[in-house]
Amino acid sequence: MSKVVTFGEIMLRLSTERHLRFSQAKTFAASYGGGEFNVAVSLANYGIPVEFITRLPENEIGACALKEMRKFKVESANVIFGGDRLGIYYFETGAGTRSSNVVYDRAHSSMATIEKGSIDWESVFKDVSWFHWSGITPAISESAAEVCLEAVKVAHAMGITISSDLNYRSKLWQYGKEPNQVMPKLLQNSNIILGDIDTAFFMLGQDKVNPNYQNETSLPVLYDKLYKLCPNLQIVATTLRYSVSASHQRIGGVLYDGKTLFSADVKEVTPVVDRVGSGDAFMGGLIYGILSDNYDKQKALNLAVAACCLKHTISGDCNLITLEEIEKLLKGDAFGEVSR
Amino acid sequence: MSKVVTFGEIMLRLSTERHLRFSQAKTFAASYGGGEFNVAVSLANYGIPVEFITRLPENEIGACALKEMRKFKVESANVIFGGDRLGIYYFETGAGTRSSNVVYDRAHSSMATIEKGSIDWESVFKDVSWFHWSGITPAISESAAEVCLEAVKVAHAMGITISSDLNYRSKLWQYGKEPNQVMPKLLQNSNIILGDIDTAFFMLGQDKVNPNYQNETSLPVLYDKLYKLCPNLQIVATTLRYSVSASHQRIGGVLYDGKTLFSADVKEVTPVVDRVGSGDAFMGGLIYGILSDNYDKQKALNLAVAACCLKHTISGDCNLITLEEIEKLLKGDAFGEVSR
Amino acid sequence: MSKVVTFGEIMLRLSTERHLRFSQAKTFAASYGGGEFNVAVSLANYGIPVEFITRLPENEIGACALKEMRKFKVESANVIFGGDRLGIYYFETGAGTRSSNVVYDRAHSSMATIEKGSIDWESVFKDVSWFHWSGITPAISESAAEVCLEAVKVAHAMGITISSDLNYRSKLWQYGKEPNQVMPKLLQNSNIILGDIDTAFFMLGQDKVNPNYQNETSLPVLYDKLYKLCPNLQIVATTLRYSVSASHQRIGGVLYDGKTLFSADVKEVTPVVDRVGSGDAFMGGLIYGILSDNYDKQKALNLAVAACCLKHTISGDCNLITLEEIEKLLKGDAFGEVSR
Amino acid sequence: MSKVVTFGEIMLRLSTERHLRFSQAKTFAASYGGGEFNVAVSLANYGIPVEFITRLPENEIGACALKEMRKFKVESANVIFGGDRLGIYYFETGAGTRSSNVVYDRAHSSMATIEKGSIDWESVFKDVSWFHWSGITPAISESAAEVCLEAVKVAHAMGITISSDLNYRSKLWQYGKEPNQVMPKLLQNSNIILGDIDTAFFMLGQDKVNPNYQNETSLPVLYDKLYKLCPNLQIVATTLRYSVSASHQRIGGVLYDGKTLFSADVKEVTPVVDRVGSGDAFMGGLIYGILSDNYDKQKALNLAVAACCLKHTISGDCNLITLEEIEKLLKGDAFGEVSR
Amino acid sequence: MSKVVTFGEIMLRLSTERHLRFSQAKTFAASYGGGEFNVAVSLANYGIPVEFITRLPENEIGACALKEMRKFKVESANVIFGGDRLGIYYFETGAGTRSSNVVYDRAHSSMATIEKGSIDWESVFKDVSWFHWSGITPAISESAAEVCLEAVKVAHAMGITISSDLNYRSKLWQYGKEPNQVMPKLLQNSNIILGDIDTAFFMLGQDKVNPNYQNETSLPVLYDKLYKLCPNLQIVATTLRYSVSASHQRIGGVLYDGKTLFSADVKEVTPVVDRVGSGDAFMGGLIYGILSDNYDKQKALNLAVAACCLKHTISGDCNLITLEEIEKLLKGDAFGEVSR
Amino acid sequence: MSKVVTFGEIMLRLSTERHLRFSQAKTFAASYGGGEFNVAVSLANYGIPVEFITRLPENEIGACALKEMRKFKVESANVIFGGDRLGIYYFETGAGTRSSNVVYDRAHSSMATIEKGSIDWESVFKDVSWFHWSGITPAISESAAEVCLEAVKVAHAMGITISSDLNYRSKLWQYGKEPNQVMPKLLQNSNIILGDIDTAFFMLGQDKVNPNYQNETSLPVLYDKLYKLCPNLQIVATTLRYSVSASHQRIGGVLYDGKTLFSADVKEVTPVVDRVGSGDAFMGGLIYGILSDNYDKQKALNLAVAACCLKHTISGDCNLITLEEIEKLLKGDAFGEVSR
């Protein structure tokens, strides 16, 4: 199978354990994650060669992030080094009526201060068939947005499939530009877009969609508008998430290929062990599904939804799930049974 | 805002973690709590100046309790010292069909051996507008009941609003007196009473209420009887708790002001991280609601119910929840979302 | 009460905590368990004299298993020593859509290499009224199966009641024999059999039952066939388990005595703290129910189902539940309440 | 080997970990210990049948203490139940220049409120050859002292060897009597006394010994005086402890039999993992040495000193050391080597 | 006693536990510390009213730092809020031949971006008798240096005693200025300076001292030069530290008052639990010694050295030691003994 | 730099924490190690391309070992899969007079059941300049010894430098052959041998050396004999270890090249955090020293000794130390200082 490259920031995640609030914690669980890295780990778990591009500080904390990449078989040969610090996010796991809480401390990170021209994308993309980026990278700093644009242009020129997760984070976009000033250029070359139509239109500077859009008749119409705005678009997909509580989610998904709207059954997700990275798990499942030999859009969507559901049972950002477990869930085997 | 004073016992709480039984535990999580202290922490979290009065042993364990008060901005200038020990309660968190279990080890505590006249209540209550006590204090020892009565009398004489949580604990009341010998005098001066009507009548020596009382027509009639027994009563309120399992509760509440019966919608609470102190969270929310500028009984009740629900998601006795989180829940915003 | 003897393997269980995957774990929780040992612990908790027979390695890890037996008041005077190692199983607790996972590492254990004739069953069974074994022991090795057969024969000859849990484990039975070559002889002398009819027929070399068997009319017919195959059979019982997810089970049970089919109400079990050993908890409850003075088949079945439900709330293999807790659940008392 | 009985209090020990101060601890390590119980565990580890007599509360915490006894093969058939609580001591492990710190919370314990006549000593001492008690029991309450005296009298009358560890604790003896009012009667019947001569004289109401006593010439003279005060005395022994710091001790010992003064080489003990119970480990070693077939006073003393040294490497009160490890240390084998 | 004010940065400290390297850690112990805050905690522990001035981010992590101040009775009324983040330092505890390692992540912290004029020093210093700052604050950013200079000028003008710990950190001073461009102005008004003569001369732009300076004859000559450079200087003191290994230090100290050179005995410090903050503990002891009624320079120095030694036994930055423990060490009482 | 290959077994190590005995542990720390893997990690840390060859079971526990290899940048492309289980060793860290204790549970591991011919050594050794094996592999099973011999023969034929650590483990060699029946053939082709002369002669079937051999005059004579027995031998080296206690070691080393005996200064190692793998750390340092451009035997020996010392400060088998830290120690810089 040919290689996938993802590009973005990997952060140190400092989580309280057992639903503790920050003020109760004497220890933080330390793990490493970030949207595009999480996608890479998913793919590595499914046996796809995958490389992650980022910028790390030259200190022991950066070295820990690098070790984590290697541990999960994500290639790191083109990681660049420099800058002051590894970005951090603090995480408090909610429960029931209490939402989970993220405190970002990622400003001034090595990735945020990456410089234009510092990555040789032609070299990175040799023997690569797929490039994935998300809306987080252009949100962290102007230079990160610029490097992302460099990547997208080179990938497109080299005929590489490009996937983009819109991933809007309201706490980012602090450097003076609005998403609609930055994202349209970036999304021009996307072949696969993950995200809800509202976010897509917002990032592309379109008017907000009427809230009643989410029905099977009107969605294709709206998506068709998106296809016009993004001329290379082949597939648009989105998770459908119904949040009963912080501990109980219902997860479905839709996929549109310009002609047909596919949709997947909604699954109950309870309890939620950790929902961070569940969108990345969907993305990983979707890429795998599309890349696999027996490509079938409905199957790819089902796989993406199942991967997303299973991610909610895993601590940390990364979806440490095997293909076998996804298939078991899809087959509807009594999944509460102990395997022994 | 003028100051609130609460009076009672603070204990060391020794909890097993992750649903372990006592016999499985090699460590106990150590925290500090007690009904009236828990109310003080709620109020401090909401920005209200609050002081806690208690008696602590002059040893390192007492010092830990004192540090906990300060940490949560509960004033401690009038804490008195003496006696042998800090009371303890051991706690095992249940799950599903297994109830949580409390083993009290609070006899002979410094608070239980507090002596009449040892607190200068006139001085304590200077610049104070509200005094809160609960039925736990008169339950632990005769002298504690007497000091509580001193406090109530002085507070009443000084025109301070008095709130009382009935808080009946069958494992206490071991010193030879029955609640109905002690509580009527104490409740004489209460302006706000928290507790179900059954407990209220039991503590006031009245006959048990017919179990069908809990309807919106009959409750005011029963409450009116309570108003006659407690001539200073302005508001009576109670949590309505439906226990599906140790991990799933349904929480509502009612409030009566002598004329109108207000009721709050029932909320689903699942999973239960820790339900100890959820009644105190209700009380804290109610006091805050009544004290706030835009006082509205329905809003105060809603706030109390929301605070009570959110407490179930917090480990330990104290309701470490912000006003913003309560308001988010009340507004019905999709609370399962991660804030990022 | 006269003594019960159980015979089987006790293993070191290495579990990840808080739903971590093996690859995330830096520590494993260490506990000790195994089907027949778990039954012994249940009985000891209910006050019944009980002894466990096994073979342990003469090293510090075997000594830990022995200390665990003693801790829970399971007699160990006839444990024999020898062989290389204590069997291990690694355990990962699932959640929601992710199943729990067992990795066995029990081959070549001291119990698997037990030798024929190494236990003096006549001496072991002196003053014993009940012998319990399960289908795990004949599944681990040929010699373990042989020693089990020795035990069954001696027990039968001495007039001891024999109970058998079929306990089929597909990952075992690796030594070259099929269950139907081994189990029929063993089950000949069983008075009580625990297991579903499908497993029973499979182990006895009968054709698979039509899936529609589980109704109240057809079950007795099928069971009657079992009575013919096992001439000493008095009672056959089984847990009825409906697996909603790894975190949510529904548990009922049926018991047949050759004439009447008893069934117990289905109970909701959520969340599942740990379901390993819940069948053993059912078995333990059933034995206790049958042994108790006021023996009543419906009560024994209800008790077995309640014990099984409560086990799901306990970490580790062993059902650390008291009779009082079982009775509280059976009485339907509001079990979510905190006892204080 | 015939049985040893020890009598005293077992407490819950709540320790901070990794040298944390109480105010830093969010968890306490929970273990169970007490001078006379610790001696029993030592003896059980050496293969001697041993029983511990105490009084426990009838609650889950008392049940934990009982499970600990059983785990370490200390018989518990004559434990009695009643009273309010299991005594507690809080423990902070020192390091270097900072001493370890004990906060007692053992007043009003079940053992402190034991009642005269509540133990049938004649029955307890059947088939028993040795009885051990220590100066802690008469220090906790008057009734405990009285029950201890009952035990001593019965034991003496039945011809049982009696050993006594003086174990003076200045934080105890709070019930209105001085050691010299209580201990002389108790020590009358002692055959073996463990303790330094200063403590012995203090407890027997004698003048303080001149600090220069500790030389090999004068000690026998002082000990001879002790023999006169305790007419049944056969052996007096003491640990010699030189405290370099909380992390570094030097341990030696002397033993006198009325004729000869034996002394053991001083050993370096560093680091100190936990020194609580090291005197009990000495006592356990001494009893074992005297009881063993090839009784030799010098060997018994050496064994006691080695056991004491090794105890300093074990967390918790109990000396979890094997005879093989003691012998290895005594043989002077390179003990820093990893055994593999 | 009149109040002390200290000014500086408080950071989140993320430490690996049990000597783990960063790459081995799955959890970081979270605590809060910083040179000047640590001094404040020491003083609060000794009963001196003390306030800490800093700038915190308005997020939950800043709130944790604030709670830590309150917990240890350090006043926080004049803390200001703003900026992006709480500074962090990662810490790996060394052992033996392996040094401890600090990775700073404190750039861009709220304290580093403090703005000139943002603190009303006249108001802060009302009723204050002592102001303490250290060389860390002017090292983190130009604006922090400027605010420090504002404080020093106001304090001097108001007649407040000023103490300064030179605290040179080579990993700081990254903003373009050298210590000798910044420190001379700041040290002009210092009455007490803590630091070695080498660092003092380096910061004041003097030539390096000949390495042989550390003898009792030449030191006063060098110090006299310092007195000329700092016209308000009354006392200069320094810890003398001999580093045997990361686990073994030898600590002494000298104090000069312009006339007499006092020196304290060197103490052995082994093992080292945590040496961060031991200089701050010296400073805290020195301030306490000078402030105490019976002021005696030798006693103040001894106290400072003892406090410094004891700090090495405490985890975290803050010296959680009582005056009683310091005095016990100074009296030379057998400090390895368990207090019970 | 050209690649090094090491071959051997990697095990799951289950360690008790904080000096706990096995019977006290409720959790085991899980890590992965083994002599030849440990050498590989050292080399990877020093920047040398290195690959580890082993056989792993195809289960999740084998997958964890593989992830650990990758994490530390040890290549794993030629690892083979099969067999039943990952070998285990249980580890209890000693302290002071108590030795550390290893309980092996590695029989029947995937590596022990490796089959002759299952590794294509010609392919493995392409572009490889160094092959390292140790005496553990031929000790675990006959087939492992045979595969080791295959490797040695191919490596020798391909002109690869071969290093061998004698690593005698008395608890292994259980399969019916003595070291002197197996090792001579294996050592024939060794260029570098690590081990003391006693072990070397024992493994080569020579008479035991007189204990007085360890002086600088006689050692070369003995070594010369070794050169005769191993015709390809170029360098023989050994750690000199003086074990003061489990917590205090003194480490030196000697190296002989057939002409000159080099020796390194003895260093104090205290405390010992974990000594397992310290010999492997010596080996790793030695290989690095010899491979480095500026090869100098004295420097290589010094580096090996320093690496060995530093390993004692690291938890787990692997020497997670950088070249910078080794050089800092060699330069004699004050290594107790905190780097900040």
Side-chain angles (χ1 to χ4, degrees), chain E residues 196-197 210-216 218-219 222 238 240 242:
Chain E
D196 63 288
I197 193 73
N210 182 297
N212 301 322
Y213 73 87
Q214 277 192 9
N215 69 49
E216 304 213 349
S218 58
L219 256 180
L222 293 163
T238 189
L240 297 178
Y242 311 95

Side-chain angles (χ1 to χ4, degrees), chain B residues 75-270:
Chain B
E75 293 174 38
S76 57
N78 289 295
V79 166
I80 61 172
F81 294 89
D84 284 350
R85 58 184 302 259
L86 193 71
I88 289 174
Y89 81 94
Y90 298 93
F91 188 70
E92 216 180 52
T93 311
T97 51
R98 175 162 62 90
S99 299
S100 291
N101 191 16
V102 164
V103 175
Y104 278 136
D105 179 17
R106 59 197 294 184
H108 315 290
S109 71
S110 291
M111 182 64 195
T113 57
I114 194 172
E115 284 164 27
K116 236 170 41 168
S118 57
I119 292 173
D120 177 356
W121 289 109
E122 280 79 9
S123 154
V124 164
F125 286 141
K126 204 179 308 176
D127 299 323
V128 163
S129 66
W130 190 296
F131 173 60
H132 174 71
W133 63 277
S134 95
I136 290 171
T137 303
I140 55 180
S141 73
E142 183 138 26
S143 65
E146 287 167 343
V147 177
C148 195
L149 187 58
E150 292 172 354
V152 163
K153 285 181 174 166
V154 174
H156 183 65
M158 290 172 75
I160 292 169
T161 301
I162 298 176
S163 62
S164 315
D165 183 346
L166 299 180
N167 257 344
Y168 178 63
R169 297 285 180 267
S170 61
K171 292 186 181 174
L172 300 180
W173 293 103
Q174 303 289 324
Y175 63 87
K177 288 208 171 156
E178 291 302 311
N180 66 17
Q181 299 173 277
V182 176
M183 291 296 284
K185 256 177 310 184
L186 281 159
L187 290 171
Q188 281 307 308
N189 298 324
S190 292
N191 308 109
I192 284 91
I193 289 179
L194 180 65
D196 63 288
I197 193 75
D198 256 346
T199 303
F201 281 9
F202 165 70
M203 284 185 158
L204 293 165
Q206 305 299 308
D207 291 343
K208 213 176 147 58
V209 180
N210 182 298
N212 301 322
Y213 72 85
Q214 276 192 12
N215 69 50
E216 303 213 351
T217 324
S218 58
L219 258 181
V221 180
L222 294 164
Y223 280 143
D224 286 340
K225 191 169 166 195
L226 194 62
Y227 274 74
K228 274 174 208 134
L229 295 163
C230 303
N232 290 288
L233 187 57
Q234 293 164 9
I235 285 177
V236 57
T238 189
T239 323
L240 297 179
R241 177 184 293 276
Y242 311 95
S243 190
V244 181
S245 80
S247 303
H248 186 179
Q249 307 272 299
R250 292 197 181 101
I251 302 289
V254 294
L255 180 154
Y256 184 63
D257 64 359
K259 292 178 212 143
T260 313
L261 185 76
F262 300 87
S263 76
D265 291 347
V266 169
K267 289 186 194 308
E268 299 293 319
V269 173
T270 177

Side-chain angles (χ1 to χ4, degrees), chain A residues 33 45 47 58 93 97 114 117 119 131 152 158 186 204 223 249 261 306 311 315:
Chain A
N45 286 340
E58 280 182 284
T93 310
T97 52
I114 194 173
I119 292 173
F131 174 58
V152 163
M158 291 173 75
L186 281 160
L204 293 165
Y223 279 144
Q249 308 271 300
L261 186 76
K311 168 58 194 72
S315 279

Side-chain angles (χ1 to χ4, degrees), chain D residues 225-302:
Chain D
K225 191 169 166 196
L226 193 62
Y227 274 73
K228 274 173 207 134
L229 294 162
C230 303
N232 289 287
L233 187 57
Q234 293 164 8
I235 286 178
V236 57
T238 189
T239 324
L240 297 178
R241 178 184 292 277
Y242 311 95
S243 191
V244 182
S245 79
S247 304
H248 186 179
Q249 308 271 299
R250 291 195 182 103
I251 302 290
V254 294
L255 181 153
Y256 185 63
D257 64 358
K259 294 178 211 142
T260 313
L261 187 75
F262 301 87
S263 74
D265 291 346
V266 169
K267 290 186 193 307
E268 300 293 318
V269 173
T270 177
V272 173
V273 172
D274 190 335
R275 61 164 275 190
V276 178
S278 57
D280 307 322
F282 186 100
M283 188 78 234
L286 190 65
I287 296 176
Y288 176 82
I290 295 173
L291 278 176
S292 49
D293 292 341
N294 46 359
Y295 175 33
D296 166 331
K297 283 159 193 163
Q298 183 65 50
K299 277 167 69 179
L301 175 64
N302 292 349

Side-chain angles (χ1 to χ4, degrees), chain B residues 7 31 48 52 56 68 89 120 142 175 201 217 282 306 339:
Chain B
F7 169 59
S31 62
I48 295 184
F52 180 57
L56 295 177
E68 197 74 0
Y89 81 94
D120 177 356
E142 183 138 26
Y175 63 87
F201 281 9
T217 324
F282 187 101
S339 162

Side-chain angles (χ1 to χ4, degrees), chain A residues 167-286:
Chain A
N167 256 346
Y168 178 63
R169 296 285 181 267
S170 61
K171 292 186 181 174
L172 301 180
W173 293 102
Q174 303 289 324
Y175 63 88
K177 290 212 170 152
E178 292 302 310
N180 67 16
Q181 299 173 277
V182 176
M183 291 296 283
K185 256 178 308 184
L186 281 160
L187 291 171
Q188 282 307 308
N189 297 325
S190 294
N191 308 110
I192 284 93
I193 289 181
L194 179 65
D196 63 288
I197 194 73
D198 256 346
T199 302
F201 281 9
F202 164 71
M203 284 185 159
L204 293 165
Q206 304 299 307
D207 290 342
K208 212 176 149 55
V209 181
N210 182 297
N212 301 322
Y213 72 85
Q214 277 192 11
N215 68 50
E216 303 212 352
T217 324
S218 58
L219 258 181
V221 180
L222 294 163
Y223 279 144
D224 286 341
K225 192 169 167 196
L226 193 62
Y227 274 75
K228 276 174 205 132
L229 295 163
C230 302
N232 289 289
L233 188 56
Q234 294 164 8
I235 285 177
V236 57
T238 188
T239 323
L240 297 179
R241 178 184 292 277
Y242 311 95
S243 191
V244 182
S245 79
S247 304
H248 186 180
Q249 308 271 300
R250 293 198 180 98
I251 301 289
V254 293
L255 181 153
Y256 184 63
D257 64 357
K259 292 180 212 143
T260 312
L261 186 76
F262 300 86
S263 75
D265 292 347
V266 169
K267 289 187 193 308
E268 301 292 320
V269 173
T270 179
V272 173
V273 173
D274 190 335
R275 61 164 275 189
V276 178
S278 58
D280 307 321
F282 186 101
M283 188 79 235
L286 190 65

Side-chain angles (χ1 to χ4, degrees), chain A residues 17 71 313 315 320 325 335, chain C residues 18 21 23-24 98-99:
Chain A
E17 297 188 321
K71 178 177 173 183
T313 72
S315 279
L320 306 178
E325 288 169 316
F335 43 75
Chain C
R18 284 165 294 117
R21 303 236 76 173
S23 66
Q24 298 177 297
R98 175 161 63 89
S99 298

Side-chain angles (χ1 to χ4, degrees), chain D residues 142-163:
Chain D
E142 183 138 24
S143 65
E146 287 166 344
V147 177
C148 197
L149 186 58
E150 290 172 354
V152 163
K153 284 182 175 166
V154 174
H156 183 65
M158 290 172 75
I160 291 169
T161 302
I162 299 176
S163 63

